[in-house]
Amino acid sequence: MSERILGFLISPSQVSRRVAALGVVALAASLAACGGSSDNASSNAGATATLAVLETTDLHFNVRSYDYFKLAEDKSYGFERTATLVRAARKEFANTLLVDNGDTIQGTALADYEATISPIPCTQQLSMYKAMGALGFDAGTLGNHEFNYGLPFLNQVLGGGLDVDGVDATKKCAGAGYPAVLANVYSNKTKKPLVQPYTLLERTLVAKGTDGKEVKLPIKIGVIGFTTPGIMNWDKRYLEGKVYTEGAVESANKYVPELRAKGADIVVALLHGGLDSAAYSATMENPGLYLSKVAGIDAMVMGHQHGVFPDTAATPSFNLPGVDHKAGTVNGVPAVMASSWGKALGVVQLALQWDGSKWVVNKSASKSELRNTQSKNAAGATVTVDADPAIAPLIETQHQAAIQYVKTPIGQTDFRMSTLFADVGDPGAIQIVNQAQQAYVAAYIKASLPQYAALPVLSVSAPFKSGFQGGADYTDVAAGPLAINNAADLYLYPNTVYAVKVNGADIKNWLEAAAKRFNQIDPAKTTEQQLISTFPGYNFDMFTTADMQYEIDVTQPVGSRIKNLTYLGKPIDVAQEFVIATNNYRATSGKSFIDKLDGSGTIWASPDANRDVVIDYIRKNPAVTRAANGAAKSWRFAKVTVAGPVVFSSGANGLSVAQAAGLGNVSLLAADDGSGKGTSKYGVDLSK
């Protein structure tokens, strides 16, 4: 097969040979010598062209449409399907630029396998990058999850050259296969960007002259990248003292003029961040509204939030000032955010005009769209894009090795461990996580932190999979053998265990923040009320121990919902100190919960992943039972009579799970809740 590169049809083997021999810029010159440039560029003033910027983002190592937790195909995501959309777009558009927006190298069992279980050698590309190589990406940036495995590993998989403490910058490895750019993360050692802040790509565009005939004209495309400064909290153990961050706007104001001075006709910003209406700050997680206002940026691709832009829904997300979903612009700049896990391809069609010496963007004639791997046909049935057959064979050996790894047996459970009804009180898939974290932290304190030995050690965790991605997006481990993939399902993220010191007052405020998971219910309302708010399930922290008891009164406003909070059967002492086992994300970025979750309350930042701690706990306690590991309810809803139904959505065919957990106040109202996400509608009786 062949692909259109720089406006020409050449084979992948030709590309690789020429790139190896000439480099990217020289390749463009080589093509121009073959007839790729106009003899008289100035005479073609007024020529027009469209450059389609194609975006993948937040792939999270989902090369295949495969769920390593369930050991089954899942056609709703996967880069192998996005690849089909890329090839189709390249046939449609004469000129394309393919970019990746980060959070690429982490997220599946295959990612963990290649990073930590059986680390890939320097000479071998990551499977994710190998698959991307089949498409020939032009550039990419780094997301926050690129830092999850540490700087030496990042240095290796990017090909070497990271001049930072603790890393061999001279190491030369296989690399990503495309230039990685990142403007706002700096090495403490050099005071320079950790990787190149931008790249300047020289290409040849297929254009249309004013006489309607095809002409070929040169273009210089600047690509600049930005990531979220949250990396300094989330991966503090790897990054503290070695790198520092700058705000996206500050970095853009520094480097975009440089790109323009070097002759960039257009500048494409790769922002591993999204949209937030909060006031700008240099540590802002999602600064897209403000980055779009930096002079000289012609297009912006976004990510990190796993959302979609433009959003064609009747009530679109990111309904913010300056955001135009119909035009696909943010403050007039064409932009996209292509969901996550390869579920969509972002397409920005930049309308260009040649003024005789350079290209100028006509933003009003440009447009943005998402092309999804799944859609509905006229009959309402789901239609899925076929997988690109070239992708799977590239990683088959590693794919099968990861499957064998996650099948490793570690224990046995006598009950179905699920988060289907975690929102209404079932601790079945959360208690064992809390038990593992508590035991791990308590043991460390006893051995190494005697100054805290007198404090009670407790643990909080949350239902990380709680339906955000649809009816299959719940932790759901069948009764029977427990394998590593099941433990990975119980703890989804590659977080590490942190211990924080708080007092009784902090605990109440922490739980009040977690209770934002629920909408405020009006007891007098006779019409249906939705129980669950837009507050993410992964933020619904909860205790699962008889020692800590509390009620959540959902009829009360946010901040006034936690009632009858007791410890060891007595009202909690607001001054009593506790150690709480949690994760690095919450301990360092949870200031919206309590002030001490900004890192200042941390007494131990462990090096071990929560997931590995859970796996180790099950290995040591292989007989998992409902009685011992899945029945301790710390909380319940405060009893209240509501005039109308209180409803929530969860996975289909799940009522038996609620009943087995003793939730007699839950009922099935409709097998299909009408959302199109494969979820059912349930009711909860708050009077019971």
Side-chain angles (χ1 to χ4, degrees):
M1 294 182 67
S2 59
E3 289 301 345
R4 191 174 291 277
I5 307 291
L6 317 184
F8 290 84
L9 283 172
I10 59 179
S11 73
S13 60
Q14 288 174 304
V15 172
S16 59
R17 286 198 299 270
R18 293 191 189 188
V19 169
L22 301 171
V24 171
V25 173
L27 172 59
S30 171
L31 288 165
C34 297
S37 65
S38 166
D39 291 331
N40 233 329
S42 59
S43 67
N44 286 303
T48 57
T50 297
L51 175 65
V53 180
L54 311 179
E55 180 214 24
T56 59
T57 190
D58 296 272
L59 290 171
H60 283 287
F61 222 108
N62 286 285
V63 181
R64 300 284 304 273
S65 300
Y66 190 84
D67 188 330
Y68 290 95
F69 302 142
K70 293 182 169 60
L71 297 175
E73 184 181 45
D74 187 334
K75 295 181 179 180
S76 68
Y77 59 82
F79 175 73
E80 61 182 344
R81 296 179 195 279
T82 327
T84 300
L85 296 177
V86 172
R87 295 196 194 277
R90 282 178 168 160
K91 289 178 181 177
E92 179 181 349
F93 300 105
N95 310 296
T96 60
L97 182 81
L98 179 59
V99 296
D100 179 73
N101 201 38
D103 275 9
T104 311
I105 71 169
Q106 173 280 330
T108 64
L110 177 55
D112 287 345
Y113 181 78
E114 294 193 350
T116 63
I117 307 304
S118 181
I120 61 164
C122 175
T123 54
Q124 183 178 328
Q125 273 189 313
L126 280 179
S127 290
M128 186 75 247
Y129 288 149
K130 190 180 289 187
M132 295 168 77
L135 275 296
F137 276 71
D138 293 287
T141 191
L142 308 184
N144 50 295
H145 284 287
E146 261 63 52
F147 296 90
N148 285 167
Y149 300 120
L151 291 171
F153 182 76
L154 181 62
N155 180 62
Q156 175 182 322
V157 300
L158 291 182
L162 269 59
D163 195 358
V164 62
D165 287 340
V167 169
D168 179 5
T170 65
K171 188 176 184 178
K172 301 299 180 187
C173 297
Y178 56 82
V181 295
L182 187 61
N184 69 322
V185 177
Y186 292 78
S187 166
N188 277 31
K189 179 181 176 182
T190 66
K191 310 301 182 193
K192 295 178 181 178
L194 183 66
V195 300
Q196 60 182 339
Y198 56 75
T199 188
L200 189 60
L201 305 173
E202 299 194 17
R203 300 290 194 252
T204 299
L205 290 186
V206 176
K208 182 181 289 187
T210 53
D211 60 0
K213 294 181 179 179
E214 182 180 289
V215 293
K216 296 180 177 70
L217 293 164
I219 187 171
K220 291 184 178 180
I221 305 167
V223 182
I224 185 169
F226 311 90
T227 197
T228 169
I231 61 171
M232 298 308 300
N233 290 326
W234 304 327
D235 283 306
K236 182 178 181 178
R237 66 200 182 284
Y238 292 140
L239 305 182
E240 188 174 37
K242 297 179 180 178
V243 302
Y244 60 94
T245 62
E246 188 174 60
V249 169
E250 290 82 352
S251 294
N253 282 326
K254 182 187 302 181
Y255 292 117
V256 170
E258 271 192 28
L259 268 171
R260 291 293 185 181
K262 290 181 178 179
D265 293 282
I266 67 169
V267 173
V268 179
L270 314 186
L271 171 64
H272 190 80
L275 299 170
D276 184 345
S277 61
Y280 179 76
S281 73
T283 58
M284 192 173 196
E285 191 171 345
N286 296 296
L289 281 177
Y290 304 96
L291 183 64
S292 65
K293 294 179 181 179
V294 173
I297 291 177
D298 296 299
M300 181 171 69
V301 304
M302 301 180 290
H304 181 59
Q305 292 173 310
H306 291 206
V308 296
F309 182 83
D311 189 348
T312 58
T315 306
S317 53
F318 310 125
N319 191 13
L320 305 170
V323 175
D324 188 333
H325 286 276
K326 188 174 182 181
T329 58
V330 177
N331 293 315
V333 175
V336 285
M337 184 190 294
S339 188
S340 62
W341 298 13
K343 288 182 286 191
L345 178 70
V347 181
V348 179
Q349 297 180 40
L350 286 178
L352 306 177
Q353 186 160 359
W354 181 254
D355 70 0
S357 61
K358 66 180 184 302
W359 290 99
V360 179
V361 177
N362 181 351
K363 289 184 180 178
S364 63
S366 301
K367 61 180 181 178
S368 305
E369 62 173 316
L370 294 187
R371 299 184 176 185
N372 298 306
T373 59
Q374 286 197 323
S375 58
K376 297 288 187 182
N377 63 17
T382 298
V383 179
T384 303
V385 170
D386 289 337
D388 182 335
I391 301 300
L394 295 173
I395 68 153
E396 184 63 16
T397 300
Q398 293 294 89
H399 173 63
Q400 292 300 331
I403 289 173
Q404 290 309 308
Y405 158 65
V406 300
K407 284 181 176 179
T408 305
I410 55 174
Q412 188 90 9
T413 175
D414 74 354
F415 72 104
R416 183 177 173 185
M417 308 171 77
S418 170
T419 58
L420 284 164
F421 297 96
D423 282 328
V424 291
D426 177 13
I430 299 172
Q431 184 181 350
I432 199 164
V433 173
N434 276 333
Q435 289 173 322
Q437 293 178 172
Q438 190 277 341
Y440 175 76
V441 169
Y444 184 83
I445 287 175
K446 183 178 180 181
S448 305
L449 295 173
Q451 64 269 41
Y452 302 115
L455 300 184
V457 178
L458 300 172
S459 176
V460 293
S461 191
F464 297 120
K465 296 173 73 176
S466 54
F468 180 76
Q469 306 273 10
D473 184 29
Y474 292 90
T475 296
D476 200 6
V477 179
L482 278 173
I484 287 171
N485 67 296
N486 302 130
D489 200 3
L490 290 166
Y491 203 102
L492 182 63
Y493 297 108
N495 298 331
T496 52
V497 179
Y498 271 43
V500 297
K501 183 165 72 74
V502 299
N503 60 32
D506 294 323
I507 286 175
K508 182 177 186 299
N509 291 333
W510 190 333
L511 295 173
E512 289 284 9
K516 292 178 185 177
R517 178 65 174 162
F518 305 109
N519 290 316
Q520 186 174 356
I521 300 300
D522 181 354
K525 196 170 182 180
T526 57
T527 53
E528 191 173 275
Q529 296 183 74
Q530 289 286 343
L531 178 66
I532 308 301
S533 72
T534 57
F535 189 73
Y538 56 72
N539 283 335
F540 183 31
D541 288 354
M542 65 181 76
F543 293 98
T544 54
T545 169
D547 292 349
M548 188 73 71
Q549 295 288 302
Y550 54 101
E551 295 180 351
I552 301 176
D553 188 344
V554 293
T555 68
Q556 299 302 306
V558 167
S560 303
R561 293 174 167 178
I562 303 302
K563 309 294 184 186
N564 301 319
L565 177 60
T566 64
Y567 176 65
L568 297 178
K570 298 177 181 178
I572 198 165
D573 180 350
V574 295
Q576 181 177 353
E577 291 187 321
F578 298 83
V579 174
I580 308 295
T582 182
N583 61 65
N584 62 304
Y585 185 91
R586 182 71 73 246
T588 60
S589 301
K591 194 171 182 179
S592 62
F593 286 66
I594 59 170
D595 286 343
K596 291 174 185 174
L597 295 181
D598 63 354
S600 62
T602 300
I603 63 167
W604 181 43
S606 93
D608 294 323
N610 300 68
R611 182 187 298 168
D612 293 336
V613 167
V614 172
I615 291 170
D616 187 57
Y617 183 82
I618 295 173
R619 280 190 171 126
K620 291 175 179 175
N621 305 274
V624 177
T625 66
R626 168 89 69 183
N629 310 105
K633 298 182 176 74
S634 277
W635 69 273
R636 56 159 294 142
F637 291 118
K639 289 184 180 181
V640 60
T641 300
V642 182
V646 178
V647 304
F648 65 98
S649 293
S650 189
N653 304 314
L655 187 60
S656 62
V657 176
Q659 293 168 339
L663 299 177
N665 60 341
V666 173
S667 59
L668 175 65
L669 300 181
D672 185 345
D673 64 5
S675 67
K677 294 183 176 181
T679 43
S680 295
K681 182 194 289 187
Y682 297 88
V684 58
D685 185 348
L686 296 176
S687 70
K688 294 182 178 179

